[in-house]
């Protein structure tokens, strides 16, 4: 009996994969969505729930490497490298350093800006066609600074956003800040407010709601752990723990594990993991009126359901080192100090693997083996933000039509 050849297989059922499968289905394709653990079972489950379309600056900012030695000395700081992983990540750090040079940085900001503009419009299209507006909170974001010096260092970022047409309000008095979010320590004297920022009520439930739409419309899903991928002249062969299958096309959007699959077809992509930590409290003891970002401390506070989620930081530690949940505890301790009236007890800790490339831009485009395999991974902190837009670009690539934006900054071969 001849083996069934699927139309298009989407590997990875996080928010990128679910959105891609839904968009492909809407354009008349017949996807098979597969994942080793389930729908939104990995990083898409526990993020802060933000659609951060204003976040166009890469992590590799000019001059950042001058601060690199301190990362090893502060294992609980906002950005750290565990000593056990420092040697292994050195080649990635060299690429990160090169990405921080002014020429590369400016190009990355421009590319990310174009992608964000596309993704914001695509999200509104996705929400109108498939989403539930009650799952979206349009309450803005307040980024807080301790004193004028911290604020002035960030002013170029806010000016860039204003120049890009992003609505911003700059606050330079604790009383002004309190009108937006009461209860904050008065040590936060300055802030930038982004009124157009919005969040989902729960990132896992948002992804699951899109997956239900896909399944209700006849979409197929399977639990599979992929072991190998090969290409022939007219199809892609996939070997998994449940046997083999074949497809006309494959989309690889398996988050922090994607580079392992890309390597099997000959592409070496420097994907690393920004391990992020958070603690979720089922009930909010304060009224959070907006998403709070404590930029100097590398963490945020957001509403999840009727509770609070406190999380963030960047730990460049790969996939195999055990979690260091002391990092989550430090963020909760800071939140208690920064919002003196908050009561934070009986929280649930979590760690997720943000898939990150040295220039903070994702890989979106065909593989080195050809356009039978399409890559869509490496979104770092903004996978949820860029999910709908990436899905539309994937569908364009799968149809072999011109994508909505220039994808040359996002090709895998750039490394």
């Amino acid at each position: 009996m001849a083996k069934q050849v699927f139309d298009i297989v989407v590997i990875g059922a996080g928010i990128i994969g679910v959105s891609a499968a839904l968009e492909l289905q809407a354009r008349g394709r017949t996807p098979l969505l597969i994942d080793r653990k389930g729908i939104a079972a990995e990083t898409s489950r526990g993020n802060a729930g933000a659609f951060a379309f204003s976040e166009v600056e890469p992590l590799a900012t000019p001059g950042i490497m001058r601060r690199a030695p301190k990362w090893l000395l502060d294992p609980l700081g906002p950005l750290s490298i565990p000593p056990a992983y420092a040697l292994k990540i050195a080649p990635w750090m060299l690429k990160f350093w090169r990405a921080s040079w002014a020429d590369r940085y400016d190009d990355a900001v421009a590319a990310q800006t174009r992608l964000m503009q596309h993704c914001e419009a695509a999200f509104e299209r996705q929400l109108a066609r498939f989403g539930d507006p009650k799952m979206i909170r349009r309450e803005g974001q307040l980024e807080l600074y301790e004193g004028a010096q911290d604020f002035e260092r960030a002013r170029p970022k806010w000016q860039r956003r204003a120049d890009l047409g992003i609505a911003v309000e700059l606050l330079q008095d604790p009383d002004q800040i309190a009108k937006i979010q009461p209860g904050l320590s008065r040590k936060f004297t300055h802030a930038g407010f982004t009124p157009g920022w919005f969040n989902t009520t729960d990132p896992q439930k948002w992804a699951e709601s899109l997956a239900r739409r896909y399944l209700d419309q006849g979409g197929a899903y399977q639990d599979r752990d992929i072991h190998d991928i090969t290409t022939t002249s007219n199809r892609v062969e996939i070997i998994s723990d449940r046997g083999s299958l074949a497809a006309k096309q494959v989309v690889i959007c398996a988050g922090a594990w994607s580079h392992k699959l890309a390597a099997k077809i000959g592409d070496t992509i420097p994907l690393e993991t920004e391990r992020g930590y958070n603690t979720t409290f089922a009930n909010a003891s304060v009224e959070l009126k907006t998403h709070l970002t404590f930029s100097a401390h590398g963490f945020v506070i957001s509403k999840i359901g009727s509770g609070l989620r406190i999380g963030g930081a960047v730990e460049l530690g790969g996939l195999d080192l055990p979690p260091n949940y002391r990092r989550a505890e430090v963020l909760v301790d800071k939140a208690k100090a920064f919002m003196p009236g908050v009561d934070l007890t009986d929280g649930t800790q979590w760690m997720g693997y943000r898939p990150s490339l040295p220039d903070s831009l994702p890989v979106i485009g065909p593989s080195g083996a050809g356009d039978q395999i399409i890559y869509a991974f490496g979104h770092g902190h903004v996978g949820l933000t860029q999910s709908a837009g990436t899905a539309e670009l994937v569908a364009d690539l799968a149809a072999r039509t011109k994508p909505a934006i220039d994808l040359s900054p996002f090709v895998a071969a750039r490394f």
Side-chain angles (χ1 to χ4, degrees):
M1 181 183 295
K3 180 188 295 186
Q4 178 184 2
V5 179
F6 289 90
D7 176 29
I8 185 164
V9 170
V10 179
I11 301 175
I15 188 60
I16 300 291
V18 167
S19 295
L22 187 58
E23 182 65 29
L24 287 163
Q25 183 187 59
R27 298 196 193 186
R29 301 297 296 268
T30 309
L32 170 63
L33 178 63
I34 63 178
D35 195 278
R36 63 182 189 144
K37 288 193 174 180
I39 303 293
E42 300 269 13
T43 306
S44 294
R45 176 171 66 90
N47 62 69
F51 291 90
F53 298 109
S54 62
E55 298 296 302
V56 297
E57 296 84 9
L59 182 63
T61 56
I64 194 170
M65 294 305 291
R66 290 194 297 271
R67 302 189 290 277
K70 295 189 292 186
W71 302 345
L72 293 175
L73 300 176
D74 186 5
L76 301 177
L79 199 161
S80 70
I81 304 172
Y85 200 68
L87 187 61
K88 187 172 182 178
I89 202 176
W92 188 92
M93 290 301 300
L94 285 173
K95 292 181 174 64
F96 180 81
W97 169 65
R98 181 64 183 94
S100 73
W101 293 15
D103 59 334
R104 297 278 181 90
Y105 176 81
D106 290 342
D107 288 346
V109 170
Q112 190 75 292
T113 298
R114 290 191 294 271
L115 180 57
M116 286 294 196
Q117 290 169 342
H118 166 69
C119 289
E120 185 169 12
F123 168 78
E124 297 294 352
R125 290 189 287 269
Q126 184 187 65
L127 179 63
R129 292 184 297 163
F130 309 123
D132 179 356
K134 295 191 294 296
M135 297 185 71
I136 302 300
R137 288 173 166 147
R138 299 180 186 267
E139 298 173 343
Q141 179 230 196
L142 191 63
E143 190 164 341
L144 296 145
Y145 301 93
E146 299 167 70
Q149 187 175 5
D150 274 356
F151 179 71
E152 290 304 321
R153 278 197 292 264
R155 188 181 285 276
K157 175 177 76 174
W158 290 101
Q159 185 59 55
R160 181 185 301 112
R161 292 178 181 180
D163 292 343
L164 292 171
I166 298 169
V168 300
E169 299 174 20
L170 302 183
L171 312 175
Q172 302 185 55
D173 181 87
D175 291 333
Q176 291 179 315
I177 294 170
K179 290 179 181 178
I180 296 174
Q181 178 59 60
L184 288 163
S185 167
R186 291 184 69 84
K187 69 187 294 183
F188 295 103
T189 58
H190 294 65
F193 184 59
T194 315
W197 177 295
F198 53 91
N199 290 51
T200 176
T201 54
D202 187 307
Q204 182 179 14
K205 291 180 179 178
W206 173 254
E208 290 172 343
S209 73
L210 296 179
R212 280 195 301 273
R213 184 66 178 261
Y214 165 73
L215 295 170
D216 289 347
Q217 295 175 162
Y221 170 82
Q222 294 180 10
D223 288 319
R224 285 181 183 260
D225 190 5
I226 306 305
H227 296 164
D228 200 6
I229 301 177
T230 58
T231 61
T232 67
S233 60
N234 61 354
R235 68 187 192 183
V236 183
E237 299 282 347
I238 303 169
I239 307 300
S240 78
D241 59 339
R242 294 179 53 192
S244 64
L245 64 154
K248 297 175 185 176
Q249 288 180 295
V250 169
V251 181
I252 295 178
C253 46
W257 293 266
S258 298
H259 63 305
K260 295 179 180 291
L261 298 177
K264 295 183 182 299
I265 54 175
D267 288 330
T268 301
I269 299 175
L271 186 73
E272 264 300 340
T273 57
E274 296 179 38
R275 292 147 54 110
Y277 294 81
N278 67 44
T279 308
T280 303
F281 299 88
N283 297 300
S285 57
V286 297
E287 183 182 3
L288 199 68
K289 293 182 174 293
T290 186
H291 181 100
L292 299 178
T293 299
F294 300 91
S295 52
H297 301 271
F299 79 100
V300 305
I301 303 178
S302 59
K303 284 193 286 191
I304 301 295
S306 59
L308 297 178
R309 179 165 290 164
I310 298 168
V314 171
E315 181 184 61
L316 295 166
L319 292 167
D320 300 323
L321 291 180
N324 176 9
Y325 284 112
R326 178 63 186 136
R327 294 180 64 81
E329 294 167 7
V330 165
L331 301 183
V332 172
D333 289 342
K334 287 185 175 183
K336 291 176 179 177
F338 297 165
M339 297 189 76
V342 70
D343 177 20
L344 300 174
T345 55
D346 298 325
T348 301
Q349 294 177 330
W350 179 83
M351 185 191 76
Y353 300 96
R354 308 181 190 101
S356 298
L357 292 152
D359 55 6
S360 297
L361 300 177
V363 169
I364 305 173
S367 74
D371 61 4
Q372 290 170 292
I373 298 178
I374 298 165
Y375 293 147
F377 58 82
H379 296 77
H381 293 249
V382 290
L384 174 62
T385 302
Q386 295 181 340
S387 55
T390 298
E392 290 190 358
L393 295 169
V394 164
D396 291 339
L397 291 165
R400 298 179 172 92
T401 60
K402 184 179 179 180
I405 64 170
D406 175 21
L407 291 181
S408 59
F410 309 100
V411 298
R414 72 184 188 269
F415 298 108

